[in-house]
């Protein structure tokens, strides 16, 4: 495991996560009213799991790529990204989706080295509001946009 390709490491991690996600998607309960439907609560997770497995297999089976030594991984960026995800999850209920999502995306853009902070903030807000609108208004999945004390 001394000289793994960067894409193969990503492929292996994605394969493990996708296969686990796919396997766990079969545990999602389906109500008797929709058991005969073509689309059930399991449909999207199973499609995403299959897609993840296929993409990860593609990364694992490719032939070219630059060699990567595990010591060259940016552990600081990896730890920071995981920390941001955990912070997003912790602030989702108290701040609401739009605020916590905007803060998460803005911090992630900054971590990745985005040069223009105002553009990053505007883009983060636009993505958060758009995703909230898609989920809540189009797909009928309620996500609290703001802290409950604001409503």
């Amino acid at each position: 495991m001394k000289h793994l390709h960067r894409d193969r490491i990503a492929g292996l991690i994605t394969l493990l996560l996708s296969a686990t996600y796919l396997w766990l998607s079969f545990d999602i309960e389906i109500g008797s009213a929709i058991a005969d439907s073509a689309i059930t609560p399991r449909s999207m997770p199973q499609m995403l799991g299959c897609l993840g497995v296929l993409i990860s297999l593609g990364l694992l089976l490719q032939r070219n790529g630059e060699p990567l030594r595990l010591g060259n991984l940016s552990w600081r960026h990896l730890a920071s990204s995981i920390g941001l995800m955990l912070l997003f999850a912790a602030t989702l209920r108290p701040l609401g989706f739009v605020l916590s999502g905007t803060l998460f995306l803005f911090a992630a853009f900054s971590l990745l080295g985005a040069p223009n902070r105002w553009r990053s903030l505007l883009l983060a807000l636009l993505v958060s509001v758009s995703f909230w609108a898609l989920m809540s208004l189009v797909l009928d999945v309620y996500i609290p946009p703001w802290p409950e004390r604001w409503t």
Side-chain angles (χ1 to χ4, degrees), residues 51-114:
L51 184 63
V53 168
L54 291 174
I55 290 171
S56 60
L57 287 175
L59 288 172
L60 286 172
L61 298 176
Q62 75 178 5
R63 296 194 181 251
N64 57 359
E66 61 184 32
L68 171 73
R69 294 171 198 237
L70 291 178
N72 290 342
L73 282 174
S74 177
W75 296 105
R76 183 179 65 84
H77 280 94
L78 178 64
S80 298
S81 297
I82 292 170
L84 283 175
M85 288 182 237
L86 292 172
L87 188 61
F88 169 73
T91 61
L92 190 56
R93 284 184 188 246
L95 295 180
F97 182 80
V98 173
L99 288 176
S100 62
T102 300
L103 292 172
F104 166 72
L105 289 173
F106 178 70
F109 293 156
S110 298
L111 179 68
L112 293 171

Side-chain angles (χ1 to χ4, degrees), residues 5-151:
H5 296 294
R6 182 174 288 154
D7 290 341
R8 294 213 174 142
I9 291 173
L12 185 60
I13 292 169
T14 306
L15 178 63
L16 291 172
L17 291 173
S18 298
T20 303
Y21 184 75
L22 180 62
W23 180 56
L24 291 174
S25 72
F26 287 95
D27 290 340
I28 297 173
E29 291 185 25
I30 298 176
S32 60
I34 60 170
D36 295 332
S37 298
I39 297 176
T40 66
R42 290 182 187 172
S43 300
M44 184 61 82
Q46 288 173 344
M47 286 188 282
L48 290 173
C50 288
L51 184 63
V53 168
L54 291 174
I55 290 171
S56 60
L57 287 175
L59 288 172
L60 286 172
L61 298 176
Q62 75 178 5
R63 296 194 181 251
N64 57 359
E66 61 184 32
L68 171 73
R69 294 171 198 237
L70 291 178
N72 290 342
L73 282 174
S74 177
W75 296 105
R76 183 179 65 84
H77 280 94
L78 178 64
S80 298
S81 297
I82 292 170
L84 283 175
M85 288 182 237
L86 292 172
L87 188 61
F88 169 73
T91 61
L92 190 56
R93 284 184 188 246
L95 295 180
F97 182 80
V98 173
L99 288 176
S100 62
T102 300
L103 292 172
F104 166 72
L105 289 173
F106 178 70
F109 293 156
S110 298
L111 179 68
L112 293 171
N116 189 330
R117 296 216 183 253
W118 287 109
R119 186 178 295 162
S120 295
L121 183 61
L122 183 63
L123 181 61
L125 180 63
L126 180 68
V127 169
S128 293
V129 169
S130 299
F131 189 77
W132 171 82
L134 174 71
M135 294 301 290
S136 295
L137 304 176
V138 177
L139 298 176
D140 247 1
V141 176
Y142 179 72
I143 300 173
W146 314 111
E148 288 184 19
R149 63 183 173 269
W150 289 8
T151 55

